[in-house]
Amino acid sequence: MTSTVHRTMGQQSGRRSWAEPWKIKMVEPIKMIDRAGREAAMREAGYNTFLLRSEDVYIDLLTDSGTSAMSDRQWAGLMLGDEAYAGSRNFYRLEAAVQQYYGYKYVVPTHQGRGAEHLISQALIKAGDTVPGNMYFTTTRLHQELAGGTFVDVIIDEAHDPHNEHPFKGNIDLDKLEALIKQVGADRIPYISLAGTVNMAGGQPVSMANVKALRELCDRFGIRIYLDATRMVENAFFIQEREVGYADKPVAAILKEFCSYTDGAWMSAKKDSLVNIGGWLAMNHDDLFEKARNLVVIYEGLHTYGGMAGRDMEALAIGIEESVQDDYIRARIGQVRYLGELLTDWGIPIVQPVGGHAIFLDAKEIYAHISQDRFPAQTLAAQLYLDSGIRAMERGVVSAGRDPKTGEHRYPKLELVRLTIPRRVYTQAHMDVVAEAVKAVYDERQRVKGLDMVYEPAYLRFFQARFEPIS
Ligand SMILES: *Cc1c(COP(=O)(O)O)cnc(C)c1O
């Protein structure tokens, strides 16, 4: 896909732009603190954008997780919270929404995505098992490892190349998977960990053809498929846009068809579903349901709230329905693409094609003079904040962590900075400001030398590690 194709979204004849299918009813003031203030804040945060105070941030692109603007209907839904400990009416609304739009039989609520990852990992993985998947995600892999499993990446090779314009870079390489199954044995593979879209590859989608073929392969070996459905609505939009036979199908129908090839899913509702907190685990098989429903009471709460308030479940049920509307999802991805096109036009290296929820700056290429053990992506995120108070996130060697066996850094092929776009929060003018800031940092790239890590926590180090600039 070229950027000209992107720009023609809704501009077939003459200039015809798309616009957001909503208007703004309430605003939250933001401001940019001055350069000296930003320098002090960055020092205090140990050059880790996770450790900044949000009030020191001007445009916050750290994550699209829990940062969405809820609709007036969702806010109204908060007033309908049934805060009963057991059997809240809002749970049954949520259960019905998951059944209707994702198509699974059973639903176990959790406080957020990692709560669901914990439950499925503990329920299904035994020590020594192998869990194949389409590129790792930080919390997903950690829960699989803590349960005694080993994650093995079976994504197609194109996913590791930021310049490869494959339309479905999230696809599983079925030959790699089959070879792995034959090597370790199907009985040592509790399930396939399939994510749509693939966050760490740049928000890249999985095709319908790929999940169908995966289903056939797994049926031959008797292996189940569980879906990380966190951004599966965005994935469905890409199928509608790019895959033959889906152009006229609604995103909601595509979502449901895709899920029908899997045995269940876990969800961070803080992403696609337009809420600030929430998650769930859903499945078709009785055995997993029984285990998960039992485990949830230990770790999250009773199986009719799983760590959420009744009002949160109501907002989530409404958010699910809003998230699958075609005009909404088109504007959501259109805004991400707008930012991507500006940067592409200005020659700034980003992961192509532009994915669903974020722009990924190629820090390896931008800071080609900084070696990976000096954390180019961490450095780039820090520079962006210093330039203009924009907060982004490292997705490179810091996020990849250390190999649990050797203790060495894992050096991922992709060394990226993620500019994650919250849903329904910022305007096109904010995107312009962001693009100009990235350009300014890019133009100054030769003056930067990288960072030293001076504090490293044991788990998920990217959240709390501290750094100092190399002088
Ligand atoms: C955010 C995320 C998770 C974890 O969910 P939380 O709600 O943050 O706990 C899992 N998988 C993917 C792909 C995610 O983006």
Side-chain angles (χ1 to χ4, degrees), residues 17-89:
S17 298
W18 56 267
E20 291 79 2
W22 39 261
K23 57 184 176 176
I24 295 165
K25 179 143 44 184
M26 192 186 287
V27 298
E28 177 183 343
I30 51 175
K31 68 174 192 323
M32 196 197 301
I33 59 172
D34 64 14
R35 175 87 200 187
R38 299 197 295 278
E39 282 172 359
M42 193 82 269
R43 254 195 321 273
E44 206 171 303
Y47 294 81
N48 184 344
T49 52
F50 275 105
L51 301 178
L52 286 166
R53 291 168 184 244
S54 128
E55 65 183 5
D56 293 334
V57 173
Y58 174 42
I59 297 176
D60 201 348
L61 306 184
L62 184 73
T63 171
D64 62 332
S65 180
T67 53
S68 297
M70 292 207 297
S71 68
D72 50 359
R73 290 175 65 232
Q74 287 177 291
W75 280 103
L78 291 185
M79 301 305 289
L80 302 176
D82 169 8
E83 307 305 343
Y85 187 89
S88 161
R89 115 168 63 85

Side-chain angles (χ1 to χ4, degrees), residues 369-411:
H369 60 289
I370 300 179
S371 63
Q372 219 171 350
D373 55 8
R374 292 185 161 189
F375 313 111
Q378 190 77 31
T379 306
L380 183 57
Q383 289 301 316
L384 196 59
Y385 175 77
L386 290 171
D387 180 85
S388 48
I390 293 165
R391 173 154 68 172
M393 184 195 291
E394 193 262 8
R395 278 305 184 215
V397 65
V398 182
S399 294
R402 290 180 187 273
D403 187 304
K405 291 195 187 93
T406 66
E408 296 296 316
H409 289 309
R410 293 192 255 222
Y411 290 102

